[in-house]
Amino acid sequence: MLSLYLAVLDDQSSEEQFIDVYNTYKRLVYHTAYKIMGDSYLAEDVLQEVFLYVAKNFSKIH
């Protein structure tokens, strides 16, 4: 799944920064979504949507 997010990014530097953000926050996002949704599959969907949104808008985040 990570490769899908990386395909959205512009350059190698952004990819490395995104990987750092992804690795830092993926568990937090998943556990928060699971706590709210109460379903692991829905939490996984939320995780994917969140990081796809972040990848698409990564150039605005700094």
Side-chain angles (χ1 to χ4, degrees):
M1 197 66 194
L2 186 58
S3 60
L4 172 68
Y5 306 135
L6 297 179
V8 176
L9 298 171
D10 295 331
D11 56 41
Q12 184 70 27
S13 175
S14 293
E15 289 179 5
E16 291 169 2
Q17 291 173 347
F18 180 83
I19 290 170
D20 288 341
V21 170
Y22 179 79
N23 287 330
T24 301
Y25 293 104
K26 67 181 174 184
R27 287 187 184 105
L28 176 64
V29 171
Y30 175 82
H31 289 294
T32 302
Y34 183 78
K35 190 174 182 180
I36 293 168
M37 307 300 271
D39 182 278
S40 62
Y41 295 110
L42 292 176
E44 194 63 39
D45 286 344
V46 169
L47 176 73
Q48 292 174 8
E49 290 294 324
V50 165
F51 281 106
L52 184 57
Y53 180 84
V54 170
K56 287 181 179 178
N57 295 287
F58 199 69
S59 63
K60 299 174 188 175
I61 303 170
H62 283 273

